[in-house]
Amino acid sequence: MVEVAPPPSRHRLVGQPLLYAISVFASLGVFLFGYDQGVMSGIITGPYFKQFFNSPGPIEVGTMVAVLELGALATSIAAGRVGDLIGRKGTLFTGALIFTIGGIIQTFTTGFYVMIVGRVVSGFGVGLLSTIVPIYQSEISPPNHRGALACMEFTGNVFGYACSVWTDYFCSYIESDLSWRIPLFVQCVIGAILTAGCLVMPESPRWLIDTDQDAAGMRVIVDLHGGDPNDVLARAEYQEIKDKVIYEREFGEGRSYAVMWRKYKRRVLLAMSSLAFAQLNGINVISYYAPSVFEEAGWLGRDALLMTGINAIIYTLSTLPPWYFVDRWGRRFILLSGAVIMGIALGFTGWWMYIDVPATPKAVVACVIIFNAAFGYSWGPIPWLYPPEIMPLTFRSKGVSISTATNWAFNFIVGETTPYLQEVITWRLYPMHGFYCACSFILVYFLYPETKGVPLEEMDAVFGEEERLDYESERASLMSDPRYDRTSTRSSSRPMAATERGWVSRLLYRNDRSTYQPIGEGEE
């Protein structure tokens, strides 16, 4: 058995406190691009912003908002290779540093083109952060808490959005260009904090072991298990990861994008589709242009910002239930129910704008709040959790980079076209995105397998793509009790046959992993 590297400090967090500290701190990465999503929505409607940029038209506004996605698209594609070369921690540090530099350029912009440069540079940082944070989180999380910790990350994203909206609102009372420069500067401060914090965060143990830094990887696993180098569960988890790495090297066909596409085409397409529909379902029509939406509905000036702020609070609160439910209800049920509620809310948003009666402003606010709450509970967190779950270790970084690039590509399309479509097709924009919600329901219902509680090293069995490997289960999790009875848990965790389940379960889990069985003691 590999020796454990000496700890970097005698005074350090171990066990659950370490796991949650990592999760909270890594959430600053998603907080940053959540903040950036919201900060532009408020300042583009401000009088001093419009005056400084000579009353920009819808194309100019759309470009300033959406050009960040082009930068994010570029680096999210590159992040797969970068994450494998310099590690998850190094990628996180690089992304935070680049984002901070971009924020400084935006804050001190001298005109339209300098703002564009700042947005693109920030986008480079966002692309790295949005790709590597979900990977990093999934690789340090135990399977029975992986969903909850990923949902906590998304709460950090939405909290960043809410903070930016309220920062915009309070700064709107400033009678100068500082009304929009201060909100842009705040993101620089947060980016600097994340950059500094990356220096003390541990590296992903899976990446360390995959790069033959076994002692350092074992050290991280031991710390996550409580700090005891002789902990049986820690050593079992190390051995499982090491065996998987050795197997892939001996029987794998390389780690190129072409090999990934050939071997795991279905997984790649599912990962891409999850984040594509997260955008097509209409969230950034609201996130980027909420004040404009409320102005279109009849709320004017600072009142539109206030409604956006109230919506952001409810949006943030809606991300809390998945912390509890995602590892109990599963991914499919949450995505399906969210798509239904979002589609209905968007349909009614368009209808109220179409009839344009005195009740329209309040009705639109209610519909938007319901839509945001449904998204925050479903299509917000789950599509960021799903790709790193279903991709194997050897291709996880590349697979997630492709899915994240898909997110930013569709993010750019929505962000660039929304101001134009609001003027051209007006109320029809919202039922259009409601139609995409219906499409996403159909896709999840027929094609998405359930991944709740499945160890990362056993995901092959869910997709039926490879033979079951002779591994100890990853269920030797970072938060398991040493008294954990593996045999009884395995037997009790086996899914019921279809005939034993009620009609609701059969409907909601038509294509779930009912054929998946956790690896049992007798199979080893």
Side-chain angles (χ1 to χ4, degrees):
M1 176 58 70
V2 67
E3 295 298 321
V4 181
S9 172
R10 298 179 65 182
H11 304 287
R12 68 191 195 283
L13 293 175
V14 295
Q16 291 190 26
L18 174 61
L19 180 62
Y20 287 117
I22 292 172
S23 299
V24 170
F25 200 80
S27 293
L28 279 180
V30 291
F31 178 98
L32 279 176
F33 64 88
Y35 185 94
D36 192 88
Q37 283 178 315
V39 72
M40 293 298 289
S41 71
I43 66 177
I44 60 177
T45 61
Y48 290 97
F49 183 88
K50 291 180 178 179
Q51 179 183 335
F52 184 86
F53 289 100
N54 300 316
S55 299
I59 299 299
E60 288 82 3
V61 170
T63 300
M64 276 193 285
V65 171
V67 74
L68 177 140
E69 275 72 58
L70 292 181
L73 173 62
T75 51
S76 61
I77 294 173
R81 189 170 298 277
V82 173
D84 286 339
L85 289 175
I86 67 175
R88 305 348 182 185
K89 176 180 173 179
T91 308
L92 193 61
F93 173 84
T94 305
L97 181 61
I98 294 174
F99 181 92
T100 303
I101 294 171
I104 292 172
I105 296 173
Q106 293 176 62
T107 302
F108 298 101
T109 181
T110 57
F112 176 79
Y113 292 105
V114 176
M115 173 65 85
I116 295 297
V117 171
R119 296 287 291 168
V120 171
V121 173
S122 285
F124 291 155
V126 166
L128 293 174
L129 291 172
S130 59
T131 301
I132 212 65
V133 169
I135 296 173
Y136 182 71
Q137 182 68 75
S138 70
E139 290 186 346
I140 61 100
S141 301
N144 56 329
H145 288 74
R146 191 171 61 233
L149 291 170
C151 290
M152 290 178 191
E153 269 184 21
F154 183 73
T155 299
N157 175 266
V158 177
F159 182 62
Y161 169 75
C163 287
S164 70
V165 169
W166 282 103
T167 301
D168 285 345
Y169 176 73
F170 289 120
C171 288
S172 70
Y173 287 93
I174 300 174
E175 302 293 334
S176 71
D177 285 346
L178 291 177
S179 62
W180 57 270
R181 292 189 188 270
I182 288 177
L184 292 174
F185 180 72
V186 170
Q187 62 186 346
C188 304
V189 176
I190 301 166
I193 294 172
L194 178 60
T195 304
C198 289
L199 301 175
V200 297
M201 291 174 65
E203 180 56 88
S204 161
R206 283 177 168 82
W207 181 82
L208 289 170
I209 295 170
D210 193 34
T211 54
D212 294 322
Q213 301 177 62
D214 292 2
M218 185 62 185
R219 174 78 267 164
V220 177
I221 293 174
V222 166
D223 285 346
L224 289 167
H225 275 277
D228 180 8
N230 298 313
D231 184 271
V232 175
L233 295 177
R235 292 188 172 275
E237 182 173 348
Y238 164 81
Q239 195 59 52
E240 178 185 22
I241 297 170
K242 187 64 178 178
D243 288 348
K244 181 72 172 179
V245 168
I246 293 172
Y247 176 86
E248 290 291 344
R249 289 178 182 175
E250 291 180 351
F251 300 101
E253 305 174 55
R255 298 191 176 197
S256 69
Y257 283 97
V259 172
M260 177 182 71
W261 178 254
R262 185 169 65 252
K263 292 183 65 176
Y264 301 107
K265 182 186 301 183
R266 181 189 174 195
R267 300 198 207 187
V268 173
L269 290 174
L270 289 179
M272 293 171 66
S273 69
S274 67
L275 283 165
F277 275 103
Q279 299 305 318
L280 290 174
N281 285 353
I283 185 57
N284 280 329
V285 174
I286 308 301
S287 294
Y288 284 154
Y289 301 107
S292 301
V293 173
F294 290 133
E295 285 185 348
E296 185 181 3
W299 299 91
L300 300 177
R302 194 170 286 125
D303 287 341
L305 277 177
L306 179 61
M307 290 301 103
T308 305
I310 294 172
N311 171 59
I313 292 174
I314 298 173
Y315 185 18
T316 304
L317 294 176
S318 73
T319 66
L320 299 180
W323 293 20
Y324 179 81
F325 292 121
V326 70
D327 289 315
R328 290 167 174 81
W329 292 357
R331 287 51 162 159
R332 281 172 50 85
F333 175 82
I334 292 176
L335 289 174
L336 291 170
S337 58
V340 170
I341 299 170
M342 290 158 57
I344 293 173
L346 286 170
F348 274 107
T349 299
W351 184 75
W352 280 106
M353 288 185 175
Y354 170 69
I355 63 174
D356 195 18
V357 296
T360 290
K362 292 182 180 179
V364 167
V365 169
C367 290
V368 167
I369 287 175
I370 291 171
F371 167 81
N372 259 136
F375 181 86
Y377 140 85
S378 59
W379 282 89
I382 306 302
W384 290 103
L385 162 66
Y386 207 64
E389 276 194 323
I390 64 176
M391 294 305 300
L393 174 62
T394 48
F395 295 105
R396 185 168 299 136
S397 189
K398 291 182 176 65
V400 174
S401 75
I402 292 295
S403 65
T404 306
T406 304
N407 169 79
W408 293 117
F410 281 90
N411 204 317
F412 172 77
I413 293 170
V414 172
E416 181 70 26
T417 59
T418 292
Y420 177 75
L421 293 177
Q422 282 177 325
E423 289 191 359
V424 175
I425 65 174
T426 60
W427 61 269
R428 299 172 186 84
L429 174 64
Y430 307 99
M432 181 187 80
H433 286 288
F435 169 75
Y436 291 130
C437 292
C439 293
S440 67
F441 180 95
I442 295 171
L443 184 70
V444 172
Y445 183 79
F446 286 104
L447 297 178
Y448 279 44
E450 182 57 71
T451 59
K452 177 187 69 174
V454 182
L456 297 180
E457 276 69 42
E458 290 185 31
M459 204 60 69
D460 289 347
V462 175
F463 287 87
E465 292 174 342
E466 305 244 345
E467 266 186 33
R468 301 282 299 284
L469 303 177
D470 185 24
Y471 296 140
E472 230 359 86
S473 171
E474 184 192 332
R475 197 165 274 104
S477 75
L478 310 183
M479 297 170 65
S480 295
D481 189 307
R483 295 166 294 181
Y484 177 72
D485 184 66
R486 299 172 65 90
T487 305
S488 63
T489 303
R490 283 196 180 94
S491 61
S492 64
S493 67
R494 295 179 182 270
M496 292 184 294
T499 55
E500 298 175 15
R501 296 184 294 179
W503 68 271
V504 175
S505 296
R506 292 198 300 271
L507 175 66
L508 291 176
Y509 300 104
R510 174 189 175 106
N511 286 320
D512 72 352
R513 57 184 180 90
S514 55
T515 59
Y516 165 75
Q517 299 289 330
I519 295 175
E521 300 291 351
E523 301 173 69
E524 298 176 5

